[in-house]
Amino acid sequence: MTAHTSPHGARHPRVGLFCTCLVDTIRPSVGFAAAKLLEDAGCEVDVPPQTCCGQPAFNSGDRATTRALAEEMITAFETFDYVVAPSGSCAGMIKTHYPELFTGEPDWAGRVERFCAKVFELTSFLVDVRGVTGVAAAYDGTVTYHDSCSGLRELGVKAQPRRLLASVEGLALEEMKDADTCCGFGGTFCVKYPDVSNAIVEKKAANIAATGADTLLAGDLGCLMNMAGKLQREGRAVRALHVAEVLAGMGDEPAIGEPAEKGAKR
């Protein structure tokens, strides 16, 4: 069984898929993978017109811009039963930090609280809300998994992706040392503190390589881009994919930072 679907005749939950800026502009295949997984879990999926969740502005101290983006986000998605993002970083931003943007505003507070309650990271939604126990996918290789900071610490996402990966035919998971340690990306952090960021990702790349895994997985595209870039600059033969791509059976796509002509998994 791959998912708990609605009984015959029952309305499927309406899910608004928040694709995120990076998925939209850098790797749309993650969005398609997320949509497939949600539909396989018995959901009706829609992708409304959307903008940034506001995290870059929030982390830079620009509360006015963050607030404006939060209002747009809430307005675009609040009619859905659930809002799901293939990113612990963006989902964590919404659930954790949106409420503080509207503190002391009775006209908004209840609306924001109701909205944040239905926002989930993708693998957490599949496992914790929809009761998905496995996926119909195969991947011939050894993978290692990086726990992104926001997904882990703000949303408690750790066991869920591993539970789903355990059902992927042919896949072996080899845990890396300090899997839950920051990769050094941190959004604007890597721009403000490039030397510190590089030192952190250098350690992460060494831990990844030490596993002997041929593929790196994670649930946040920003983290994956940062780690993939470092691995490639060091000449390490490790592919990087979003966990949704493997779970959706799209592991043959060109890896992150890999030319299309090299793409297919061997």
Side-chain angles (χ1 to χ4, degrees):
M1 183 177 66
T2 60
H4 293 283
T5 57
S6 301
H8 178 71
R11 184 176 68 86
H12 295 272
R14 294 183 62 247
V15 172
L17 177 59
F18 178 50
C19 290
T20 81
C21 301
L22 287 180
V23 169
D24 182 43
T25 59
I26 303 295
R27 198 163 178 84
S29 58
V30 175
F32 289 110
K36 180 182 184 300
L37 289 166
L38 291 168
E39 288 175 346
D40 288 348
C43 300
E44 177 186 330
V45 183
D46 193 9
V47 184
Q50 51 194 265
T51 185
C52 178
C53 69
Q55 187 181 54
F58 183 82
N59 290 343
S60 299
D62 185 353
R63 293 298 188 270
T65 298
T66 309
R67 167 63 184 261
L69 290 170
E71 290 186 17
E72 288 188 36
M73 178 77 186
I74 294 166
T75 301
F77 282 91
E78 66 183 339
T79 61
F80 291 96
D81 297 322
Y82 299 99
V83 181
V84 176
S87 164
S89 181
C90 294
M93 168 65 200
I94 296 168
K95 288 184 78 75
T96 304
H97 300 295
Y98 272 22
E100 65 188 83
L101 296 171
F102 299 89
T103 300
E105 299 184 44
D107 290 344
W108 273 97
R111 185 177 173 187
V112 173
E113 182 180 0
R114 290 189 297 274
F115 177 76
C116 292
K118 59 186 179 181
V119 175
F120 291 88
E121 181 273 341
L122 175 64
T123 62
S124 173
F125 178 76
L126 293 172
V127 173
D128 301 331
V129 178
R130 295 301 291 162
V132 177
T133 57
V135 294
Y139 190 79
D140 182 18
T142 301
V143 309
T144 193
Y145 191 87
H146 164 73
D147 297 293
S148 68
C149 295
S150 294
L152 176 65
R153 293 170 178 84
E154 294 180 340
L155 303 175
V157 177
K158 186 175 180 68
Q160 300 93 327
R162 289 169 171 82
R163 187 175 303 169
L164 296 175
L165 287 171
S167 70
V168 177
E169 182 181 354
L171 181 147
L173 174 63
E174 186 68 34
E175 295 285 3
M176 74 175 86
K177 178 184 177 183
D178 298 328
D180 58 357
T181 297
C182 180
C183 73
F185 177 63
T188 56
F189 174 86
C190 66
V191 177
K192 294 177 180 177
Y193 308 103
D195 292 340
V196 178
S197 174
N198 184 63
I200 295 172
V201 76
E202 186 173 341
K203 291 182 180 179
K204 178 64 70 169
N207 290 340
I208 293 166
T211 67
D214 54 67
T215 306
L216 166 67
L217 302 179
D220 267 287
L221 188 52
C223 300
L224 283 162
M225 291 167 58
N226 187 46
M227 293 182 289
K230 187 63 174 178
L231 290 165
Q232 289 165 11
R233 290 192 297 274
E234 293 183 346
R236 301 188 188 272
V238 182
R239 307 176 75 235
L241 294 168
H242 192 285
V243 66
E245 295 175 295
V246 169
L247 295 176
M250 297 168 57
D252 288 341
E253 293 287 329
I256 293 167
E258 188 175 69
E261 58 269 21
K262 287 183 61 179
K265 176 79 171 68
R266 296 165 296 283

